Amino acid sequence: MARLRRPAALLLSALLCFSCAADKKKKKLYIGALFPMSGGWPGGQACLPATQMALQLVNKRTDILPDYELELIHYDSMCDPGQATKLLYDLLYTEPIKVVLMPGCSSVSTLVAEAARMWNLIVLSYGSSSPALSNRQRFPTFFRTHPSATLHNPTRVQLFQKWKWTKIATIQQTTEVFTSTLDDLEERTKEAGIDISVRQSFLTDPAVAVKNLKRQDARIIVGLFYETEARKVFCEVYKEKLYGKKYVWFLIGWYADNWFKIKDPSINCTLEQMSEAVEGHVTTEIVMLNPETVRGASNLTSQEFLTQLMSKLGGKNPEETGGFQEAPLAYDAVWALALALNKTVGPLKAKGHRLEDFNYNNRDITSEIYRAMNTSSFEGVSGHVVFDAQGSRMAWTLIEQLQGGSYKKIGYYDSTKGNLSWYGNDKWIGQGPPADQTVVIEEFRYLSQRLFVSMSVFAVVGILLGIVCLTFNIYNSRVRYIQNSQPYLNNMTAVGCMMALAAVFPLGIDGLHVHRRHFPVVCQFRLWLLGLGFSLAYGSMFTKIWWVHTVFTKKDEKREKRKHLDSWKLYATVGVLLAVDVLLLMIWQIVDPLHITVEKFTREAPKEDLDVLIQPLLEHCSSEKMTTWLGVVYGYKGLLLLLGIFLAYETKSISTEKINDHRAVGMAIYNVAVLCLITAPVTMILSSQQDASFAFASLAIVFSVYITLVVLFIPKMRRLITRGEWQSDAQETVKSGSSTNNHDEEKSRQLERENQELEKIIQEKEERVSELRNQLSERHALRSRKTPSTITQNQNHSFPLLAVTLSDPKSLAPPPGYPAPICDTHPAPQSFSNSSSLYQADSKINVNNCHTSRLQMLYK
């Protein structure tokens, strides 16, 4: 019996051991994963091996899920949402049940995460950066070990501020991930006072978008697109020459290191062209590999992980392996999931649940997994792993720059603390970081100083000449010849000319000489000196011509009354013209005062190869309604000038002793009017050319003044010098000259009266001769009927009658009150014999001939 009991005991023990072994066999938990092995981001090429490495280590650990084994079921999503939809259907409706889903691309994760809540599935992504995935209401069960793309934006803004850029441009591929990232960037830049001036997007072909960037002078450009589109963009960048020392490109840092060297049949640029176009660009990349030598949950350092990954890849070039940079994130994603599931074992057991009991309708297990994921915190090969309230990974940002064809680390940024760690090894093609836009240097255009000095010299000489003329006129004001030229009006002309010349100085003064706040005073001087100078100089000359025309173009009975016009009326006329100008200028300055305005011209590029443009500026004196005021002033002055020309022309043949220089005044008016009528519109046209405008205006003033002073005063000086008519201090000379001048004037008046009476007598005699000729014709007609002898006899009686009539001395007797003409026996001059039809064809006079001087006066 003892022997039989012993084998039975051994058999029972074996059965118990087998039963225990069967109980200790690990239960499988399945993970459904989508790895993009191709497409816009072929991250699965490195992330899938990293995931498999993590699963092997987790399943070997006895302290993590000792009763469970994690198994991966994966498909190639090609980073295509359409393909991912089909694969998601297969994962959900094909046994076994998956506990967790692990998508890669943002576009695929968006699709999976939005649908997963309907199956109570936790979604853990290792390569999704879309900011839209941070929406907890839309994606309530989503987590990711890849930080949100918005984590790049604080780093970008920090770099913009570091390099003092306030104007940037963006170009994006039209996908949700990049649109959301750009919206977040726009908000952050606005808060920082940075302007996104250009925003371009494209779907597949970036050619038009790149051309728009070039046309709108974009300099600092943020590019958001996948790796395959990046090659297309930079091929167009090379064609448009949108690279070099004037430009900086900011790209996403998760491309392969040699992304621009990969042959792509969709572009027609060579490797050398692509390398030239991408040189110097900056990337912002989430720190995906722990820079410190720390052993985390997997008991591996980051460098040990990379060594094992390289071995797993079979020596494949990391730069040509998609997702190599994100491989640590995929590795840590498995560890985060394993640790979270390990946390749920105890709480689920307390509630009577087990992980293997999970199905798509069990919310309790999902809630426990969610709670465990949300509290995850451990050291991984990618750094410290922790999730925020939106399920996004929080991490540092690595800043790199492509220098000489390879990426160099130039700094780190911790967005949680706002701390920028800078290495100072950034390298630029130019002398430093380029400007965010073409630097515009404002440069005022000033008047040529040589021109200003030259015109000032002419103005000073003209003022000295005016002083000489004024002194001469005042000193000789008692000389009769000067008195007959209205010296006070000439004095006004000289003063007005000097004021006009003085206006040359404020016309040439600009911002180079005075401060801008004092410039309105200069504007006032220009306006008042020119206005009052014109009124005095031209107004006094206009008054002379007006008076001469008024007196000598009226009827005889009114002419005698106007010849003795009082001088005060002349001065009053000048005063009225001056008062009109003063009133007009005062109203102008009160209603719409002059102020400084700055005119901007087309920007100019300097000759040197600098990234700057010159913005020429020119200061003007202006007012709100400058055109209206100039129209009023120019219209009023223009009418005066035209009227002056007309009056000067009408009085060119008139001679008068009261204003003996009116012909010279007329000549001066011609010149002044022509110069002013030409200068006014030309200076308005040339107002934007400071040198030409000033030269034209100042030369017109100088020539007008010089001509006026020379024409009016130089002949007087010459006459007084050559004839010795200078004013003498002795009173006798003054009296003698005055008496002689009075006698000559009286004699001239008497001769004029005699001339008028003789003209009347001649008219009467001509009428008498015409009457006699009519009578003779009648008698000849009556006697033509008689015999020829009778006719001849009658004719002999008729001609003596005519001869007696013509020879009657009484018929040529002077009128009463006039002296008898002095006669002699000299023959009549030739001019007299041809001047009248009173005499016969033999041109002989039967009466005594008159004195030659009186005959000339008779037929003047």
Side-chain angles (χ1 to χ4, degrees):
M1 286 295 294
R3 291 179 180 179
L4 290 174
R5 291 177 180 176
R6 185 174 181 183
L10 290 173
L11 179 60
L12 180 61
S13 176
L15 290 173
L16 290 172
C17 290
F18 180 80
S19 178
C20 291
D23 291 340
K24 290 183 179 179
K25 185 179 178 180
K26 292 186 177 181
K27 304 174 185 66
K28 290 187 177 182
L29 299 177
Y30 295 94
I31 302 172
L34 297 174
F35 289 97
M37 307 305 291
S38 59
W41 177 65
Q45 296 177 5
C47 291
L48 177 57
T51 303
Q52 293 171 342
M53 288 171 53
L55 286 174
Q56 290 177 1
L57 290 177
V58 168
N59 289 332
K60 289 180 181 180
R61 293 281 291 264
T62 58
D63 57 334
I64 301 176
L65 297 174
D67 299 329
Y68 298 94
E69 179 182 355
L70 299 179
E71 185 172 331
L72 185 67
I73 300 175
H74 62 88
Y75 297 103
D76 179 12
S77 68
M78 302 172 62
C79 205
D80 181 9
Q83 178 71 10
T85 303
K86 177 180 179 301
L87 297 176
L88 178 61
Y89 181 86
D90 294 340
L91 287 172
L92 294 176
Y93 291 97
T94 303
E95 294 290 340
I97 293 175
K98 286 75 180 177
V99 179
V100 175
L101 297 178
M102 290 183 61
C105 296
S106 294
S107 57
V108 174
S109 296
T110 301
L111 171 70
V112 173
E114 196 163 18
R117 63 177 178 175
M118 306 304 297
W119 280 268
N120 296 312
L121 281 169
I122 297 295
V123 180
L124 177 59
S125 176
Y126 54 88
S128 301
S129 60
S130 173
L133 292 169
S134 297
N135 188 342
R136 266 286 175 250
Q137 293 180 351
R138 184 180 175 189
F139 312 105
T141 62
F142 179 77
F143 293 88
R144 53 182 166 182
T145 54
H146 193 300
S148 171
T150 57
L151 199 62
H152 295 262
N153 292 335
T155 307
R156 290 171 180 145
V157 172
Q158 185 70 22
L159 293 177
F160 297 157
Q161 294 176 333
K162 174 180 174 57
W163 288 321
K164 299 179 180 179
W165 293 329
T166 59
K167 182 180 179 182
I168 65 171
T170 62
I171 178 173
Q172 65 157 109
Q173 185 180 354
T174 308
T175 59
E176 185 179 19
V177 55
F178 301 129
T179 302
S180 302
T181 303
L182 192 55
D183 291 340
D184 179 76
L185 178 62
E186 190 169 5
E187 293 180 3
R188 294 179 184 273
T189 53
K190 187 180 295 184
E191 293 175 359
I194 300 171
D195 178 39
I196 299 180
S197 59
V198 184
R199 185 168 177 172
Q200 294 293 321
S201 62
F202 66 93
L203 186 60
T204 56
D205 186 6
V208 175
V210 173
K211 289 180 180 179
N212 289 337
L213 291 176
K214 178 71 173 181
R215 187 175 62 252
Q216 299 183 42
D217 193 33
R219 298 302 181 89
I220 312 304
I221 308 168
V222 178
L224 302 175
F225 29 73
Y226 287 115
E227 181 178 322
T228 52
E229 280 68 26
R231 285 189 285 270
K232 296 179 183 179
V233 169
F234 274 88
C235 185
E236 297 298 329
V237 166
Y238 177 81
K239 295 175 183 178
E240 296 296 330
K241 303 300 179 184
L242 202 64
Y243 64 93
K245 64 180 181 180
K246 296 181 181 180
Y247 305 94
V248 177
W249 281 84
F250 281 80
L251 301 181
I252 302 169
W254 38 257
Y255 301 158
D257 288 347
N258 67 335
W259 64 270
F260 56 93
K261 298 179 182 179
I262 298 175
K263 292 183 179 181
D264 192 338
S266 63
I267 63 174
N268 56 357
C269 293
T270 64
L271 174 60
E272 291 75 15
Q273 292 172 344
M274 291 292 292
S275 299
E276 183 179 353
V278 301
E279 180 64 24
H281 76 264
V282 177
T283 64
T284 52
E285 177 185 357
I286 305 303
V287 175
M288 301 178 185
L289 190 65
N290 196 338
E292 300 177 0
T293 308
V294 178
R295 295 186 181 273
S298 64
N299 199 29
L300 289 178
T301 65
S302 57
Q303 294 303 318
E304 291 174 347
F305 163 76
L306 290 178
T307 302
Q308 293 184 14
L309 179 62
M310 291 296 294
S311 176
K312 185 78 173 177
L313 293 174
K316 188 185 296 186
N317 188 353
E319 295 182 356
E320 298 178 358
T321 305
F324 185 83
Q325 295 178 345
E326 290 78 10
L329 302 180
Y331 185 84
D332 286 342
V334 174
W335 282 97
L337 176 60
L339 293 174
L341 292 176
N342 191 55
K343 280 185 182 180
T344 62
V345 174
L348 287 176
K349 188 176 182 180
K351 295 180 180 180
H353 296 293
R354 296 177 302 173
L355 285 174
E356 63 267 26
D357 296 335
F358 174 80
N359 58 63
Y360 299 142
N361 296 318
N362 195 327
R363 294 186 178 182
D364 294 336
I365 298 177
T366 302
S367 299
E368 288 297 330
I369 297 174
Y370 177 87
R371 189 177 298 109
M373 288 290 296
N374 208 26
T375 58
S376 296
S377 179
F378 65 95
E379 290 294 331
V381 295
S382 64
H384 188 69
V385 179
V386 62
F387 301 105
D388 61 14
Q390 286 75 36
S392 298
R393 169 81 178 273
M394 300 174 65
W396 281 31
T397 307
L398 171 65
I399 306 167
E400 293 183 317
Q401 186 182 35
L402 188 67
Q403 300 177 3
S406 61
Y407 287 99
K408 305 292 183 183
K409 296 179 182 179
I410 59 176
Y412 286 94
Y413 182 69
D414 183 2
S415 58
T416 58
K417 298 179 180 178
N419 182 31
L420 178 64
S421 302
W422 197 249
Y423 294 167
N425 60 340
D426 48 318
K427 189 176 181 181
W428 306 98
I429 300 175
Q431 297 180 353
D436 57 355
Q437 56 187 322
T438 302
V439 178
V440 179
I441 301 177
E442 293 186 346
E443 186 177 275
F444 281 91
R445 289 180 176 178
Y446 296 119
L447 182 67
S448 170
Q449 295 307 294
R450 291 184 179 181
L451 178 62
F452 178 53
V453 171
S454 301
M455 291 298 103
S456 299
V457 170
F458 281 114
V460 170
V461 173
I463 292 174
L464 294 177
L465 177 61
I467 293 174
V468 171
C469 294
L470 182 62
T471 304
F472 163 81
N473 213 50
I474 294 174
Y475 182 77
N476 297 285
S477 61
R478 302 180 70 178
V479 175
R480 187 66 182 179
Y481 180 72
I482 301 299
Q483 287 181 346
N484 288 339
S485 66
Q486 296 298 326
Y488 291 107
L489 293 180
N490 289 340
N491 292 343
M492 294 181 188
T493 301
V495 172
C497 288
M498 288 188 287
M499 292 180 67
L501 285 173
V504 172
F505 302 108
L507 280 175
I509 294 176
D510 50 25
L512 185 63
H513 305 92
V514 297
H515 194 272
R516 288 194 63 182
R517 64 173 178 271
H518 299 143
F519 203 79
V521 178
V522 177
C523 297
Q524 299 292 341
F525 271 103
R526 292 180 183 180
L527 185 63
W528 284 91
L529 286 175
L530 277 176
L532 298 183
F534 179 87
S535 296
L536 282 175
Y538 183 79
S540 57
M541 294 190 295
F542 178 82
T543 300
K544 287 184 179 183
I545 291 296
W546 175 269
W547 182 79
V548 172
H549 182 271
T550 302
V551 171
F552 289 95
T553 58
K554 297 298 180 181
K555 294 182 179 180
D556 295 339
E557 60 271 16
K558 294 183 179 181
R559 186 189 305 169
E560 292 296 330
K561 297 179 181 179
R562 293 179 178 269
K563 280 186 178 180
H564 305 288
L565 184 65
D566 296 329
S567 298
W568 69 268
K569 295 182 179 180
L570 301 176
Y571 308 146
T573 304
V574 179
V576 169
L577 295 176
L578 186 63
V580 170
D581 268 353
V582 172
L583 182 62
L584 179 60
L585 294 179
M586 288 181 65
I587 294 175
W588 183 353
Q589 297 312 301
I590 294 174
V591 175
D592 190 14
L594 289 173
H595 59 270
I596 185 173
T597 58
V598 178
E599 179 183 2
K600 292 185 177 182
F601 298 90
T602 304
R603 295 175 179 177
E604 303 171 352
K607 295 180 180 180
E608 299 81 5
D609 185 20
L610 300 176
D611 189 22
V612 297
L613 286 177
I614 304 299
Q615 175 66 74
L617 303 174
L618 184 61
E619 296 171 325
H620 290 289
C621 292
S622 183
S623 59
E624 297 298 329
K625 298 181 179 180
M626 187 73 172
T627 305
T628 303
W629 292 109
L630 288 179
V632 173
V633 173
Y634 285 168
Y636 164 62
K637 303 289 186 184
L639 290 176
L640 282 180
L641 291 171
L642 293 175
L643 183 58
I645 293 175
F646 170 76
L647 296 178
Y649 177 79
E650 287 289 312
T651 58
K652 67 181 189 307
S653 60
I654 295 177
S655 177
T656 175
E657 289 294 331
K658 282 295 182 181
I659 301 180
N660 56 19
D661 61 349
H662 78 278
R663 287 194 178 91
V665 170
M667 186 180 298
I669 286 178
Y670 288 147
N671 288 279
V672 171
V674 170
L675 288 172
C676 290
L677 292 175
I678 294 175
T679 302
V682 171
T683 51
M684 292 182 67
I685 296 173
L686 299 177
S687 61
S688 297
Q689 305 177 30
Q690 70 279 9
D691 289 345
S693 178
F694 173 75
F696 211 94
S698 57
L699 284 175
I701 294 173
V702 169
F703 279 126
S704 299
V705 169
Y706 274 53
I707 291 172
T708 301
L709 294 178
V710 169
V711 168
L712 287 184
F713 293 98
I714 297 302
K716 296 180 178 61
M717 296 181 183
R718 181 174 176 275
R719 178 185 176 103
L720 266 62
I721 293 173
T722 56
R723 299 191 181 186
E725 296 183 11
W726 294 97
Q727 178 177 349
S728 174
D729 293 333
Q731 293 294 330
E732 293 181 358
T733 305
V734 175
K735 292 180 179 180
S736 175
S738 177
S739 176
T740 303
N741 289 334
N742 290 335
H743 177 71
D744 292 342
E745 185 176 355
E746 184 63 29
K747 185 178 179 180
S748 176
R749 290 178 181 175
Q750 181 179 353
L751 290 175
E752 287 181 4
R753 287 195 296 268
E754 291 177 2
N755 187 27
Q756 293 173 3
E757 296 298 331
L758 289 175
E759 287 177 356
K760 292 179 181 179
I761 294 172
I762 290 173
Q763 182 67 26
E764 293 175 357
K765 297 307 178 184
E766 287 181 349
E767 293 175 357
R768 178 62 178 165
V769 169
S770 177
E771 181 180 355
L772 292 175
R773 283 181 176 176
N774 292 333
Q775 292 178 3
L776 181 60
S777 298
E778 292 175 359
R779 290 181 182 182
H780 182 71
L782 291 174
R783 294 173 183 176
S784 62
R785 303 171 184 176
K786 297 180 181 182
T787 60
S789 58
T790 307
I791 294 173
T792 304
Q793 184 178 2
N794 290 336
Q795 288 177 349
N796 291 335
H797 287 286
S798 299
F799 285 107
L801 176 61
L802 178 60
V804 170
T805 304
L806 294 175
S807 61
D808 186 6
K810 293 182 180 181
S811 64
L812 298 176
Y818 286 85
I822 303 173
C823 299
D824 55 18
T825 58
H826 293 84
Q830 185 67 24
S831 61
F832 182 75
S833 63
N834 297 328
S835 300
S836 176
S837 61
L838 292 173
Y839 309 104
Q840 303 301 319
D842 57 1
S843 302
K844 293 183 180 180
I845 303 176
N846 294 329
V847 295
N848 293 331
N849 295 315
C850 295
H851 194 272
T852 304
S853 62
R854 291 301 177 91
L855 292 175
Q856 292 175 346
M857 180 61 68
L858 178 63
Y859 289 95
K860 183 177 178 180

